[in-house]
Amino acid sequence: GAYQDSDELYRQHLDQNPKDAAAWHMRGYVAVQLKNIERAVEYISRAIALKPNVYTMHVNLGSALAMLGQFEQATKALQKAIELHPTGAEAHLALGNCLKAKGNPQDAEAAYLQALRYKPDWPEALEAAAVNAAKSSNPDKSLEYALQALAHAPERLLSNKIAGNVYLRQRKYELSLKHYEAALRSDPNDAAANANLGLLLTRTAQYEESAAAYAKAVELAPNDAVAEHGLSLALLVLGRLSEGWPHFEARLQREGHLLGSRPYSAPRIKQRPIYKHALAWADEGIGEQILFASMIPEIVADSTSLSVECDARLAPLFQRSFSNLDVIPRHDPPHPKFNAPYDGQFCLGSAARWYRPNFESFPRQPGYLVADAHLTQVLRKNYQSNTRPTPLIGISWRTKAQTKFSPEKTLGLANWGPLLSVPGATFVNLQYGDCRTEISETERSLGVHILSDSRIDSLKDLDSFASQVAAMDLVITISNATAHMAGALNVPVWTMVPKGFGAMWHWFLDRDDSPWYPSMRLLRQTKQNEWGSVVDRASSMLADFVTQWRPAPSNDR
């Protein structure tokens, strides 16, 4: 391992023996270990000039050229090696690596299979094939190769990480844990393995252990935004707010976070914007934008003036709700107001670090969003029977299909039988998206009626949707934007929360209330993926609610 000394000895030797091809080759190998790849190519090329037909020289030259990103030259060198020694597994493996780097995964796999043909059960080739398949979005094949590699070398770090990652995506958590633990036995200080373990432990609701794993990953790789964001979520769900918020900033550095990387004309504010003309911009989904908007009254009170850029669909609702706020609808490119001469700018979610450092800092406000009162009254009158009024129960049962945790959060309408069978209630569809087929099948199978209002498009017109939610006597929903809307409007809402994966950090742990929304009750799974007890509890609560409900004299809630 004393490569500097080795290089000096080879230099001295070659000064006296400049035509020693083997020495030039070995000096090239040493240069690779010293990360001096350009010199490695130079030395190995001199070796080949002296001795053109040595298989290993061409293999090492091809590998060095690939390290420099010179893939065409690398391919030629490796093809020459294969011409010299067609059954040389090393050349086929190196060629596969080169083709993978060039973005030719199918040709790379063919090269790996050739390497395995001549050197069966070779862990390095199997592992390379596993990585190639993973990069090609073929997790099943990636897992197959990784498991074959592990059959011959059980402690291989990368193969265990690959297997753990695939099992994690497949939600086979026990198998995933087995491979992450094996990876960490091989290298306890592998940052990615610690971060992946943190993610797994979050999904299985082991948040203290998750926070510890993520903390180690962040210590090992301080610039890993994904790991630091994971750490923040584990700490926040545990209620360790003052610890979690500083790491929450890392989400803005995650790859693909377009709002975090936009150019800003004003400097970044890193503390409460007292006496400042400030710009805040919301970076999360609709539900989170509504949630963090709970801080707007306090920020407005601190600042000289406040402008908030939000999803354009929320702009009319925010403008009505916060009279002293300048609302900027988000567009691409940004609205001209976005680049006005502010004293500073900050991300709205980042303000939680200043305004929500602990649970005592949450105000018990009776809602902070204000729906269009006239439309609310019209909708309530339309939905309510004039002869025999019953409570209006708004229901929502799924979240966006494209989110990775939507299966865990969603409670299919077909499973709502005990709730929908409670007599004496009018059920109103608050589910966004086209759900007509699902509703008709449920109505037919359960013999119930669910009122749907085709005039309200909750995906496009959130202001009208707010009025529809405000018209309800009670909302029963899974964890989605409807829950946030109802809570922010101070409408009684029961939110059904999964355990583990899909349990959003902002519902915290072991509590049936929400510090964000005083009107909300949380109905939690006690066992992962088991909704039966939650539905039974909600139906019992609903029966009591309907029995106790009385129409207000004005026919308004």
Side-chain angles (χ1 to χ4, degrees), residues 51-133:
K51 208 168 185 179
N53 295 320
V54 178
Y55 163 74
T56 53
M57 292 183 184
H58 290 279
V59 172
N60 290 335
L61 177 61
S63 297
L65 287 165
M67 291 178 194
L68 293 175
Q70 299 176 20
F71 299 120
E72 292 302 325
Q73 300 95 312
T75 299
K76 291 178 182 178
L78 294 167
Q79 288 171 338
K80 177 63 176 178
I82 292 170
E83 177 187 322
L84 292 169
H85 184 27
T87 62
E90 299 81 5
H92 289 288
L93 173 60
L95 179 61
N97 291 337
C98 184
L99 293 168
K100 178 183 69 179
K102 287 173 64 177
N104 299 328
Q106 291 182 329
D107 292 341
E109 185 181 21
Y112 294 138
L113 291 175
Q114 281 291 86
L116 290 164
R117 176 184 175 190
Y118 302 123
K119 196 172 181 180
D121 303 326
W122 187 18
E124 285 79 359
L126 288 164
E127 188 169 82
V131 172
N132 181 62

Side-chain angles (χ1 to χ4, degrees), residues 386-403:
N386 291 325
T387 56
R388 187 173 173 273
T390 58
L392 300 179
I393 312 300
I395 60 172
S396 180
W397 56 91
R398 54 179 157 86
T399 188
K400 292 185 295 186
Q402 62 265 40
T403 60

Side-chain angles (χ1 to χ4, degrees), residues 387-452:
T387 56
R388 187 173 173 273
T390 58
L392 300 179
I393 312 300
I395 60 172
S396 180
W397 56 91
R398 54 179 157 86
T399 188
K400 292 185 295 186
Q402 62 265 40
T403 60
K404 60 187 176 184
F405 39 67
S406 58
E408 280 76 10
K409 290 175 66 175
T410 294
L411 174 59
L413 189 58
N415 300 302
W416 284 59
L419 274 162
L420 298 174
S421 300
V422 172
T426 297
F427 293 99
V428 181
N429 168 32
L430 300 181
Q431 179 58 54
Y432 43 80
D434 185 359
C435 49
R436 290 171 294 182
T437 301
E438 199 172 357
I439 288 175
S440 63
E441 289 176 351
T442 301
E443 289 178 326
R444 186 168 55 252
S445 64
L446 296 177
V448 298
H449 175 63
I450 300 170
L451 190 156
S452 292

Side-chain angles (χ1 to χ4, degrees), residues 129-339:
V131 172
N132 181 62
K135 289 183 177 295
S136 305
S137 300
N138 193 335
D140 292 339
K141 186 174 285 188
S142 177
L143 177 62
E144 179 184 344
Y145 285 129
L147 293 178
Q148 288 183 51
L150 292 169
H152 302 281
E155 298 301 313
R156 286 193 73 86
L157 174 65
L158 183 54
S159 291
N160 273 306
K161 289 197 291 185
I162 290 170
N165 292 348
V166 175
Y167 282 133
L168 182 65
R169 285 194 292 271
Q170 294 177 348
R171 293 166 166 77
K172 296 178 179 177
Y173 298 134
E174 289 185 7
L175 289 171
S176 181
L177 178 61
K178 167 189 166 186
H179 286 286
Y180 288 150
E181 287 177 339
L184 289 168
R185 282 196 302 272
S186 299
D187 184 359
N189 293 321
D190 185 277
N194 279 286
N196 291 341
L197 178 62
L199 175 58
L200 168 62
L201 293 168
T202 294
R203 290 194 179 186
T204 54
Q206 300 175 74
Y207 297 107
E208 291 285 0
E209 296 85 349
S210 172
Y214 271 130
K216 185 166 185 180
V218 170
E219 180 185 350
L220 294 165
N223 296 320
D224 186 342
V226 174
E228 188 173 2
H229 184 218
L231 172 61
S232 76
L233 300 184
L235 291 169
L236 291 173
V237 78
L238 288 165
R240 293 159 61 178
L241 304 185
S242 61
E243 294 177 69
W245 291 129
H247 299 292
F248 193 58
E249 287 287 282
R251 75 195 186 287
L252 304 177
Q253 308 304 321
R254 293 188 62 159
E255 185 177 353
H257 195 295
L258 299 179
L259 298 182
S261 62
R262 282 191 302 176
Y264 300 98
S265 58
R268 188 72 176 271
I269 295 174
K270 297 184 179 180
Q271 56 189 350
R272 291 171 72 137
I274 297 173
Y275 304 129
K276 290 184 181 293
H277 296 280
L279 166 69
W281 42 277
D283 74 306
E284 302 278 347
I286 291 294
E288 288 83 359
Q289 290 185 49
I290 292 173
L291 176 132
F292 287 127
S294 63
M295 299 181 290
I296 288 177
E298 295 155 87
I299 303 173
V300 167
D302 275 349
S303 56
T304 303
S305 69
L306 179 66
S307 299
V308 171
E309 185 201 47
C310 64
D311 191 294
R313 295 170 294 172
L314 284 170
L317 180 59
F318 278 17
Q319 195 64 75
R320 181 187 307 107
S321 304
F322 307 111
S323 57
N324 295 325
L325 180 68
D326 177 34
V327 179
I328 304 174
R330 177 173 301 136
H331 296 292
D332 188 18
H335 191 283
K337 284 185 179 181
F338 190 81
N339 291 313

